[in-house]
Amino acid sequence: MKNPIEYYDKPRKQNNRDKFYFGLRKIHIYIEDSGKKFGYKLLFEKLGMEDFECFDISDGKRGVINHYLKIENEIKSNSEVRYIFLLDKDFDDKCIHHNNKRLEGHSFEELKKHKNFVIWKKYCIENYLSALDLVIKTVEILCCKEINKKEYKNKYLDLRLKVLDLTKFYYFSSYFDLNLEYNINRYFSKEELILKDEEKNKIEEKLFNGFLSKKDTYEEYKNKNYDEVFKKLSKVLDAKYDIHGKEFLKGIIMLNKNFLKKDWKESYSLDIFTVQLINNIDQCKEICEEIRNELKVM
């Protein structure tokens, strides 16, 4: 007789896993991108959630949306299970020209109102994990010492403003569908945590050229110049809800190396730090309550 554990350990198709947990768990949660399941599972457990199963889907939010469409009939026929398809907000609430393209023919508002979809109110889950109190608690635990909270806070807030500036580039690129991506580790000076002028100029040049090539397809921007449009779009970004959380968390790693020196070990990678943030999130009641309210499961 074959070992039954080996059967359940080996990879299986997503719909087969759905059927296996059908009726065994009362909440099924689908998340973007394979490889994130462990972090989300730990997060939900820390929030006190019970009787759930987490599924990570490949191909980002498109994969999550398409998986919903694939099992839509099963969902409608099973009133005993709550199905949650969890999406990052990104800039989907602000990129009105490309929502349908990025959301598989659906609008942001349509998915936001859908009973089976939950879209984070902030840019992504990292926006919640990078809250100052949680970061400080986690840093002190990892370093086994108290830190100068006032000085750390000042550097943290300064970094957030700089990442918000970088976020403006991301948003402009996303708004005009320019497909330009950056990385804070490349464009920020590790010593001073500032956007390097030469790299900033490279980004600006790419965005400027992209804007010129596409602006005539947007009626409202045909007679506008780059600086005018960039300034207008930048004003709609909110530091709390729209800052690029993934880049901010990368910046916090750089801040920790810079601020803590030898107390911050090189082995504390982004993945390790993220897991530790999640592991300590139950010490920050307000953040937990915020996430629970958004998931509407508790």
Side-chain angles (χ1 to χ4, degrees):
M1 180 178 178
K2 292 184 177 180
N3 186 344
I5 300 301
E6 291 181 1
Y7 170 78
Y8 292 117
D9 277 345
K10 67 182 181 181
R12 284 171 286 147
K13 291 183 179 180
Q14 186 71 43
N15 59 344
N16 286 338
R17 287 197 289 143
D18 292 348
K19 291 175 182 178
F20 174 69
Y21 287 104
F22 189 88
L24 295 182
R25 300 283 190 268
K26 295 303 180 186
I27 303 173
H28 288 192
I29 306 174
Y30 300 85
I31 60 173
E32 298 182 38
D33 301 324
S34 58
K36 290 187 176 181
K37 178 178 176 178
F38 172 78
Y40 270 100
K41 187 173 184 294
L42 177 61
L43 172 63
F44 298 144
E45 289 172 348
K46 284 291 180 177
L47 293 175
M49 191 184 299
E50 298 178 349
D51 206 15
F52 74 92
E53 181 60 29
C54 198
F55 302 93
D56 47 358
I57 306 293
S58 60
D59 198 25
K61 64 181 60 179
R62 287 182 171 182
V64 174
I65 295 169
N66 284 326
H67 190 69
Y68 167 79
L69 296 173
K70 185 177 180 181
I71 65 171
E72 185 176 7
N73 290 334
E74 292 181 32
I75 293 172
K76 291 179 178 179
S77 65
N78 185 8
S79 60
E80 299 297 318
V81 174
R82 167 112 192 264
Y83 291 86
I84 299 174
F85 293 80
L86 185 57
L87 303 176
D88 289 340
K89 178 178 75 71
D90 298 329
F91 299 121
D92 292 332
D93 60 329
K94 296 176 173 61
C95 293
I96 56 176
H97 301 290
H98 304 291
N99 267 347
N100 285 347
K101 174 183 175 182
R102 294 169 181 163
L103 302 176
E104 296 296 284
H106 302 275
S107 70
F108 174 82
E109 290 301 325
E110 178 187 356
L111 293 178
K112 189 70 177 175
K113 295 176 182 178
H114 197 290
K115 69 175 184 178
N116 293 113
F117 282 84
V118 171
I119 303 176
W120 294 123
K121 292 181 180 179
K122 297 179 182 178
Y123 184 89
C124 61
I125 186 60
E126 283 82 1
N127 289 54
Y128 302 84
L129 300 180
S130 56
L132 178 60
D133 288 348
L134 177 58
V135 169
I136 288 178
K137 289 178 187 294
T138 303
V139 165
E140 290 187 332
I141 290 173
L142 285 172
C143 296
C144 301
K145 61 179 288 187
E146 289 189 12
I147 63 173
N148 185 322
K149 294 179 178 59
K150 183 177 180 179
E151 186 178 352
Y152 189 93
K153 179 180 179 180
N154 289 337
K155 292 185 177 297
Y156 169 97
L157 293 177
D158 182 57
L159 173 66
R160 188 169 69 178
L161 287 176
K162 291 166 180 173
V163 176
L164 183 61
D165 280 339
L166 186 67
T167 300
K168 294 172 184 177
F169 294 132
Y170 276 105
Y171 175 46
F172 191 92
S173 172
S174 185
Y175 188 90
F176 288 102
D177 201 28
L178 302 179
N179 297 314
L180 300 176
E181 291 293 335
Y182 321 108
N183 189 302
I184 198 170
N185 290 306
R186 173 180 174 185
Y187 291 107
F188 268 56
S189 164
K190 294 183 180 180
E191 290 75 27
E192 301 177 43
L193 292 178
I194 58 174
L195 194 61
K196 295 179 284 188
D197 287 339
E198 65 271 24
E199 299 297 350
K200 182 177 179 180
N201 291 337
K202 289 178 183 177
I203 298 174
E204 291 270 18
E205 183 179 359
K206 290 179 181 179
L207 295 181
F208 175 78
N209 291 331
F211 172 71
L212 288 183
S213 69
K214 290 198 172 187
K215 74 170 189 172
D216 286 345
T217 63
Y218 300 82
E219 189 64 33
E220 66 269 42
Y221 297 122
K222 280 186 176 181
N223 301 316
K224 305 289 185 180
N225 62 55
Y226 170 81
D227 291 334
E228 182 182 5
V229 176
F230 186 86
K231 185 177 181 180
K232 176 184 175 182
L233 293 182
S234 296
K235 287 182 178 180
V236 306
L237 295 179
D238 184 285
K240 179 178 180 181
Y241 292 99
D242 299 318
I243 191 170
H244 198 304
K246 293 180 175 65
E247 295 299 328
F248 189 29
L249 208 53
K250 291 177 186 176
I252 290 172
I253 293 287
M254 294 167 62
L255 167 61
N256 293 342
K257 290 179 180 179
N258 183 274
F259 183 78
L260 297 164
K261 309 297 183 185
K262 295 181 180 179
D263 290 321
W264 185 260
K265 299 179 181 179
E266 285 295 325
S267 59
Y268 293 158
S269 65
L270 178 63
D271 288 341
I272 289 175
F273 187 52
T274 301
V275 169
Q276 291 304 318
L277 289 167
I278 295 172
N279 202 44
N280 297 317
I281 201 169
D282 53 348
Q283 298 184 42
C284 299
K285 305 302 181 185
E286 289 185 5
I287 303 174
C288 291
E289 190 64 23
E290 184 179 11
I291 297 175
R292 289 191 194 103
N293 288 337
E294 292 199 34
L295 292 172
K296 297 177 183 176
V297 292
M298 305 176 69

